[in-house]
Amino acid sequence: MADEVVLLDFWPSPFGMRIRITLAEKGIKYEYKEEDLRNKSPLLLQSNPVHKKIPVLIHNGKPICESLIAVQYIEDVWSNRNPLLPSDPYHRAQARFWADYVDKKVYDLGRKIWTSKGEEQEAAKKEFVEALKLLEEQLGDKTYFGGDNFGFVDIALVPFYTWFKAYETFGNFNIESECPKFIAWVKRCLQKESVSKSLPDPHKVYEFVVEIRKRIGIE
């Protein structure tokens, strides 16, 4: 039986981008369904009744929620295609730790940069740059976070690059001047078709953020 794979997603979601990149890396054909988050589809509400959030991966009618869990699920099911996690249990645990760090730090701090002002924004910017510098240390002189091969931590992190123009514009700072090694890693990732074709244009994301700011009353 052919695998039926559906992705419920929303184009600017860095979490959805993770699954798009993973499916591309594994060469898996899937149906993409764009969700209207202000008018969520019955399929989304039925597939993720707990959080009611995108992205949701649906494999042969079974929903898998939460992006990193979905990426690991794809890795487990299609383990014979282009492995994204190392085979060594310790290195696998380390990769999961840093992906979790990205979830806990990068998203929240980035959001604070474009939703706050004054001292709160300055503190978020400082902490955001510190988080990226720590990730730079983990990267070291390696091509990718896992070494020579693009993998789990890269997939967890690189989608946030699409939001950097918004962070920089509203935060009035330059990420490349603060973290040049980090941006060099982003550029290496973007050379991969699985990444470049899965990520939207940062200018388009910036325009989306402008609209959200208007909607929530931030000028």
Side-chain angles (χ1 to χ4, degrees):
M1 186 186 81
D3 284 300
E4 185 187 51
V5 181
V6 177
L7 178 60
L8 308 183
D9 202 355
F10 180 48
W11 70 268
S13 166
F15 304 104
M17 291 173 214
R18 291 170 169 176
I19 302 176
R20 286 174 240 163
I21 293 168
T22 305
L23 291 167
E25 276 288 304
K26 297 280 187 180
I28 298 161
K29 290 190 170 69
Y30 66 99
E31 182 185 354
Y32 179 92
K33 289 191 173 180
E34 180 79 2
E35 284 285 334
D36 176 354
L37 299 188
R38 286 187 285 179
N39 184 23
K40 295 173 184 177
S41 73
L43 181 58
L44 174 59
L45 299 175
Q46 173 194 331
S47 302
N48 190 358
V50 177
H51 296 304
K52 303 177 177 62
K53 289 180 178 175
I54 56 93
V56 179
L57 180 76
I58 304 173
H59 180 214
N60 295 334
K62 295 175 181 173
I64 300 97
C65 306
E66 298 295 306
S67 63
L68 290 179
I69 292 170
V71 169
Q72 290 178 76
Y73 175 85
I74 294 165
E75 172 76 348
D76 290 341
V77 173
W78 289 277
S79 56
N80 59 330
R81 296 191 198 179
N82 203 5
L84 300 169
L85 274 160
S87 55
D88 177 79
Y90 176 74
H91 292 142
R92 285 170 86 91
Q94 288 299 301
R96 289 184 176 121
F97 172 87
W98 286 106
D100 182 64
Y101 176 84
V102 171
D103 266 4
K104 289 190 167 83
K105 283 282 186 180
V106 177
Y107 175 72
D108 287 338
L109 290 171
R111 184 177 171 80
K112 273 185 192 167
I113 290 168
W114 64 264
T115 56
S116 64
K117 290 181 178 179
E119 285 181 16
E120 189 184 350
Q121 187 187 62
E122 287 303 314
K125 269 166 39 179
K126 184 170 180 287
E127 208 177 331
F128 181 79
V129 169
E130 284 169 1
L132 294 193
K133 285 184 185 294
L134 183 58
L135 287 162
E136 277 188 327
E137 284 175 27
Q138 284 306 306
L139 180 63
D141 296 323
K142 301 189 294 288
T143 306
Y144 301 109
F145 279 89
D148 292 334
N149 297 319
F150 181 77
F152 189 64
V153 180
D154 305 294
I155 287 169
L157 182 54
V158 77
F160 290 96
Y161 167 72
T162 60
W163 286 69
F164 278 16
K165 178 174 170 56
Y167 301 164
E168 289 178 322
T169 305
F170 295 115
N172 193 28
F173 71 124
N174 182 281
I175 293 169
E176 187 164 17
S177 67
E178 298 273 4
C179 304
K181 278 175 70 174
F182 187 91
I183 298 299
W185 161 80
V186 168
K187 288 174 180 171
R188 287 196 293 277
C189 292
L190 287 170
Q191 287 169 3
K192 296 183 69 66
E193 194 175 292
S194 60
V195 177
S196 61
K197 289 198 169 176
S198 300
L199 301 187
D201 182 340
H203 290 275
K204 201 176 164 198
V205 175
Y206 165 73
E207 287 164 5
F208 168 73
V209 174
V210 170
E211 287 307 309
I212 300 183
R213 280 168 57 97
K214 283 180 186 164
R215 203 181 304 150
I216 61 178
I218 304 169
E219 289 304 330

